[in-house]
Amino acid sequence: MEHRPGLDPAVAEIRRAVRAALSAGDEPLIVGLSGGADSLALTAAVAFEAPRAGRAATAVVIDHALQAGSDAVAARAAQQAEALGLDTRVVRVEVGTADGPEAAARAARRAALAAAARELGAADVLLAHTLDDQAETVLLGLARGAGAASLAGMGPVREDDGIRWVRPLLAVRRETTRAACVAAGLDVWNDPHNQDDRFTRVRVRNAVLPSLEAELGPGVAEALARTADQLREDAAAFAEMIDETIEDIVEPADAGIAVSVPALAANPAALRHRIIRHVVASEFHESLTRAQTLEVARLVTDWSGQGPIDLPGCRASRVGARIVFAART
């Protein structure tokens, strides 16, 4: 009997992760492909699993045009996806400068993937973020003093404008994606930007996390990822509590919205602060810093006649037993 070699463990792990992440249904899906190890390993797993789930899949390669030869890198990634049996397209984007190069590239990539999903009628967009990416995100949030929402990192699924953004590899280590590519004979592109210490995330990846592992012992990345999981659970519980509470304590106001002072005062500080942030975000599409949130909360808990507080997109003031959020004119 002919001996058949077993499936490589790294390839098997990524296929299992993709299989678990594929939603039921027969809608097409797309997978974002850069040519790096993470996205190539994800693409190979999608090429294997999607047909078995009855899902048509397309690999979308985003060419950011930020480096010389980026078109050749994109073409090589597309060739490999086609060799794996996937329909493939290359989309060249123009990256702006708003909020820095990383954020601008991310925004351009997301817009291009969303446009491709709408054009193809795809319900899901699969992204190749790994456990290591999650750990870096949480650590960056800690360094900025961010709130629980930021420390919750990236969720495995996020729905936005009718598209499900799916991250099947959030429990998979980066070393596993590299091993899977080696096992599958895939030609991995090593992005020079991933070694450029001008970028904060690169310094976290190449210096900070390895240093923490060396000083505290192995498992730091996994612990940071678990922290994100726990905080997402907490955030979901708070969101449900806010949804149950908000309709009973808010009412329309001139050019804005008003919230009951007694109702805010009756809630724990954590929920009170989240309600304040939720009201501003939903009504004025702006985010408050913690300092701004605390200033508004003082109108409830420590009011001594202080005047209105200027906030992004609005102004908060106490009027009798209400906090009124009104658009600034």
Side-chain angles (χ1 to χ4, degrees), residues 229-274:
D229 292 341
Q230 293 163 6
L231 286 172
R232 279 198 307 278
E233 292 174 358
D234 291 348
F238 272 118
E240 185 174 341
M241 294 170 68
I242 289 172
D243 288 340
E244 293 175 351
T245 303
I246 201 79
E247 291 185 3
D248 295 330
I249 69 172
V250 302
E251 58 185 86
D254 290 341
I257 194 168
V259 187
S260 164
V261 167
L264 281 174
N267 280 296
L271 187 55
R272 179 164 57 246
H273 296 161
R274 284 174 179 263

Side-chain angles (χ1 to χ4, degrees), residues 7-276:
L7 183 63
D8 181 84
V11 173
E13 180 178 347
I14 295 172
R15 286 182 181 178
R16 283 195 301 269
V18 169
R19 190 181 314 137
L22 292 180
S23 59
D26 57 2
E27 299 96 337
L29 63 86
I30 67 175
V31 55
L33 174 60
S34 69
D38 299 342
S39 65
L40 266 177
L42 175 63
T43 298
V46 168
F48 183 85
E49 295 292 342
R52 288 160 176 77
R55 305 285 299 274
T58 300
V60 177
V61 184
I62 306 299
D63 177 6
H64 297 88
L66 293 175
Q67 303 176 52
S70 65
D71 53 344
V73 171
R76 177 58 182 146
Q79 289 169 1
Q80 295 192 85
E82 290 169 354
L84 290 166
L86 291 180
D87 291 336
T88 307
R89 61 172 57 187
V90 176
V91 180
R92 189 178 180 92
V93 299
E94 184 174 340
V95 177
T97 57
D99 301 320
E102 291 176 283
R106 185 166 54 250
R109 179 169 61 251
R110 182 181 177 88
L113 289 171
R118 287 190 291 268
E119 181 182 343
L120 294 169
D124 298 344
V125 177
L126 274 61
L127 305 173
H129 298 105
T130 65
L131 184 148
D132 298 80
D133 294 310
Q134 183 79 294
E136 292 160 13
T137 298
V138 174
L139 198 55
L140 286 167
L142 284 169
R144 291 193 300 265
S150 293
L151 298 182
M154 300 171 284
V157 179
R158 178 178 178 179
E159 295 195 27
D160 187 14
D161 292 334
I163 298 171
R164 295 174 76 253
W165 300 85
V166 185
R167 296 179 173 90
L169 305 186
L170 284 182
V172 175
R173 295 301 305 261
R174 190 174 288 137
E175 62 191 23
T176 302
T177 67
R178 293 174 181 147
C181 289
V182 170
L186 297 171
D187 180 15
V188 172
W189 175 57
N190 294 306
D191 186 351
H193 282 173
N194 288 336
Q195 300 300 322
D196 190 338
D197 286 343
R198 291 177 302 169
F199 300 111
T200 305
R201 183 176 286 271
V202 171
R203 296 196 297 274
V204 169
R205 178 178 303 166
N206 293 341
V208 178
L209 268 173
S211 177
L212 288 173
E213 294 270 359
E215 296 297 330
L216 302 178
V220 171
E222 289 87 350
L224 289 168
R226 286 196 303 272
T227 298
D229 292 341
Q230 293 163 6
L231 286 172
R232 279 198 307 278
E233 292 174 358
D234 291 348
F238 272 118
E240 185 174 341
M241 294 170 68
I242 289 172
D243 288 340
E244 293 175 351
T245 303
I246 201 79
E247 291 185 3
D248 295 330
I249 69 172
V250 302
E251 58 185 86
D254 290 341
I257 194 168
V259 187
S260 164
V261 167
L264 281 174
N267 280 296
L271 187 55
R272 179 164 57 246
H273 296 161
R274 284 174 179 263
I275 290 171
I276 291 168

Side-chain angles (χ1 to χ4, degrees), residues 299-323:
L299 297 176
V300 176
T301 61
D302 189 24
W303 189 57
S304 56
Q306 62 264 39
I309 300 170
D310 285 332
L311 302 168
C314 66
R315 177 173 293 163
S317 57
R318 178 157 174 168
V319 181
R322 303 186 307 165
I323 306 296

